[in-house]
Amino acid sequence: MARESKWILKEPADQSKVSRLATEVGIDRVLAELLVKRGVETFEQARRFFRPSLDQLYDPFLMKDMDVAVERLRRAVTSREKILVYGDYDVDGTTAVSLVYSFLKDYTPNLDFYIPDRNDEGYGVSQKGIDWAADNGFTLIITLDCGIKAIEKTRYAASRGIDMIICDHHLPDDELPAAVAVLDPKRTDCSYPFDDLSGCGVGFKLVQAYSQRYGIPFENLIPLLDYLVVSIASDLVSIVDENRTLAHFGLKQLNENPRAGLLAMVNLSKLELGHITIDDIVFKIGPRINAAGRMETGRLSVELLTATGFEQAMTIGERINDNNNERKSIDREITQDAIRMVQEGKCLSWKNATIVYDPNWNKGVVGIVASRLVEAFYKPTIVLTRSNGYVTGSARSIQGFDLYEAIESCAPLLENFGGHVYAAGLTLREENLAEFSERIDKYIGEHITPEMLTPVLSLDARLDFSRITPKFFRILKQFQPFGPGNSNPVFLTENVYDGGNGRKVGAGGVHMKLDLIQESQPYHQIPAIAFNMSDFFDYIKAGNPFDVCYSIVENYYRGNATIQLRVRDLHEREEMI
């Protein structure tokens, strides 16, 4: 299984800046160091960091084509054209569709939404979707979280009398679709100051611009921000700059006054309002919304997210929750099959990459299974199944290795592929499968380094347990929302042991609950949870010392909030003689 990770302590920040900031703000030096490493060096910068404001949002008209998009949308609304809001079937796509649809329905009755079928149509703009729009009299399609590469489909839509406004956040090719407007902050000719918006974020900028141009109060948009934080968290875009502000206020909306569909998801996830974090969205709410598109139809997610009554939302939510339970069961079963295949040498490749194929696997979960196999074997991984007469699947990479580039090197053997450095999708003919597996394994072997094959955990700072006080944690919490670009800090404490009450928990006893004590501070005990680390239990239970790296979290249970360490990794420590 996955090999032991290497721990690397980040380079210390400029200590004169750390001292000055610690004094100005009145905080612990460790916290000041974390801020300086995030580019926060002055009292004013700290104030802006800790107190985000919606005034910090950028003018949406800085985005290329925004003025054209707003003008075309206005014309459609005022002339009562039929508008179709079209989006991908994942969380980002369905929240984006829900956001734009919910906004526009207050201004036009001639509106519908369309989510392509994962199995029948696949990702992105489909000919079937365009035909449906044309046959039903739609003359404007707004695409969300897709469309940036839909060059032929945009031409086809035009041939059927349909204009398109494309809202996407994926990397464009050199040629852009000939749409009325192409909103994508990653366009090379776009001067928008922040290019890592989610697909839903680009949709939000469109409705923000429309509101700004036509006198709709910004306050009307605030209820839409719960959609936005769900997309930001689930799509793993960076939570810095504009995304940090949007996520901050989105979490506020989600915790204080969520729409009916998200409240149903909160209840079904057994979460409590007022205590929902980015992690709760990533691990509980997002996967449930995703499950509809994986197991049934992404349209169900939009019906949930746009439901106006709680009773209706709960009915749809329970159906989606059942989808998620089914997804978990199938994902577990396929993961076990795939691991067994690798262990028995029945996979297509195992030398430099893990490549497994079974024509009967469910297409909707192969991406999740690929991620599980990366955890298990720590190699670039491709999981393939059969759909619509083709071999199709998902790829996941390891830190530092560009798997998209590896797949691109095999382009002549592929029917279709797309994605980015660490995650991609691909489709090929079965007769090309053996050659593809051989060629990509060879490419990976020539380009991967031994260093890449060792998992690396980046540590922010050493920390003595005695510094973890209520005040320290109160300030650390204000670093939230955590996510890519603003990760929950990982601390290192050396030479610790369990106080004696450690136990295995969870189904099958795969997790551990511990009460940790630092050798040098025997009277300061702190509770910890270590997920999927019960292999270490006998060593720890015997009273042996170890080094631990962890994040500090709030454990909220039955109305009580306590500080808890979430163990990220631990290494056995040799006894000093």
Side-chain angles (χ1 to χ4, degrees), residues 105-122:
K105 72 180 174 56
D106 290 337
Y107 304 100
T108 176
N110 301 315
L111 187 69
D112 205 345
F113 62 86
Y114 190 95
I115 306 291
D117 180 84
R118 177 189 288 264
N119 294 310
D120 183 34
E121 296 167 80

Side-chain angles (χ1 to χ4, degrees), residues 439-497:
R439 193 188 293 187
I440 198 163
D441 188 84
K442 183 172 183 287
Y443 179 97
I444 291 169
E446 289 169 352
H447 292 82
I448 208 161
T449 65
E451 291 75 25
M452 289 178 193
L453 291 166
T454 300
V456 172
L457 189 58
S458 184
L459 311 181
D460 290 272
R462 283 190 168 85
L463 190 67
D464 286 337
F465 283 169
S466 59
R467 298 179 94 143
I468 306 174
T469 63
K471 181 186 177 187
F472 182 97
F473 184 57
R474 191 168 61 249
I475 296 167
L476 183 63
K477 277 205 300 184
Q478 293 177 54
F479 281 58
Q480 296 183 31
F482 292 128
N486 184 44
S487 300
N488 195 346
V490 179
F491 299 106
L492 167 65
T493 303
E494 295 165 306
N495 204 12
V496 306
Y497 59 91

Side-chain angles (χ1 to χ4, degrees), residues 528-547:
I529 182 79
F531 293 112
N532 300 306
M533 293 188 194
S534 59
D535 289 351
F536 291 97
F537 184 72
D538 291 339
Y539 176 87
I540 291 170
K541 194 67 178 167
N544 292 309
F546 54 96
D547 298 337

Side-chain angles (χ1 to χ4, degrees), residues 127-160:
Q127 183 170 323
K128 182 179 177 181
I130 293 168
D131 286 340
W132 186 89
D135 294 346
N136 286 278
F138 290 90
T139 51
L140 177 64
I141 293 177
I142 302 172
T143 76
L144 293 149
D145 190 35
C146 61
I148 197 62
K149 296 190 177 183
I151 292 165
E152 292 303 322
K153 299 296 192 300
T154 302
R155 285 196 194 106
Y156 180 68
S159 76
R160 299 218 58 185

Side-chain angles (χ1 to χ4, degrees), residues 411-425:
L413 297 170
L414 303 175
E415 297 298 304
N416 195 15
F417 68 97
H420 53 80
V421 173
Y422 294 119

Side-chain angles (χ1 to χ4, degrees), residues 179-242:
V180 170
V182 178
L183 306 179
D184 188 334
K186 289 190 176 72
R187 283 179 61 166
T188 54
D189 59 347
C190 180
S191 57
Y192 193 73
F194 182 64
D195 72 353
D196 202 26
L197 292 167
S198 64
C200 187
V202 179
F204 178 78
K205 299 311 289 189
L206 173 62
V207 302
Q208 183 192 357
Y210 189 91
S211 301
Q212 205 170 295
R213 175 68 52 90
Y214 298 109
I216 299 165
F218 185 83
E219 289 68 34
N220 291 21
L221 305 184
I222 290 174
L224 301 172
L225 294 178
D226 54 2
Y227 287 134
L228 201 41
V229 71
V230 171
S231 86
I232 288 169
S234 302
D235 217 52
L236 300 178
V237 291
S238 60
I239 303 190
V240 299
D241 203 311
E242 191 166 40

